Amino acid sequence: MSADFVDWPSIAADDFPFPQAVPRARLADELSVMLLSPDPAIRDDCAYTAAARWIGEGHLDDVLEALGDTAASRFIHPEIQARTFASLILCSVRKGSA
């Protein structure tokens, strides 16, 4: 997998192997954007599943603070999915940092 392109559909289809070649900060940024999507296939089935799994496995330890800060800032977001997934990501970050 190239660092130039994150093939999210393939990652999801392969049961979310961690893409080692992609910088963790980039993954966190892309996942954070995808968590805002009104499309549940993007948000729930891909972004949240990947983020929760990779946080739990310790792959995103270097970016937990940034993920948590981004999630916390979304509690005042106008879209309900942004506010809802903010809570879920913060729960994952808390468990990942324990």
Side-chain angles (χ1 to χ4, degrees):
M1 177 176 302
S2 167
D4 296 334
F5 178 68
V6 178
D7 186 356
W8 292 106
S10 291
I11 289 172
D14 290 341
D15 199 29
F16 301 95
F18 186 75
Q20 296 288 342
V22 182
R24 285 160 173 73
R26 178 172 171 203
L27 290 171
D29 289 346
E30 289 191 26
L31 290 168
S32 290
V33 170
M34 292 166 57
L35 287 164
L36 294 173
S37 177
D39 182 344
I42 293 170
R43 183 191 63 238
D44 305 11
D45 299 337
C46 192
Y48 177 69
T49 301
R53 178 171 296 176
W54 296 341
I55 289 167
E57 293 172 350
H59 294 297
L60 299 177
D61 285 354
D62 296 349
V63 294
L64 283 181
E65 185 174 348
L67 281 169
D69 288 348
T70 298
S73 74
R74 292 190 174 155
F75 284 115
I76 59 170
H77 196 282
E79 299 292 329
I80 192 164
Q81 71 272 9
R83 297 188 306 270
T84 301
F85 281 84
S87 298
L88 294 171
I89 291 297
L90 283 175
C91 286
S92 293
V93 166
R94 184 173 181 273
K95 288 178 187 174
S97 66

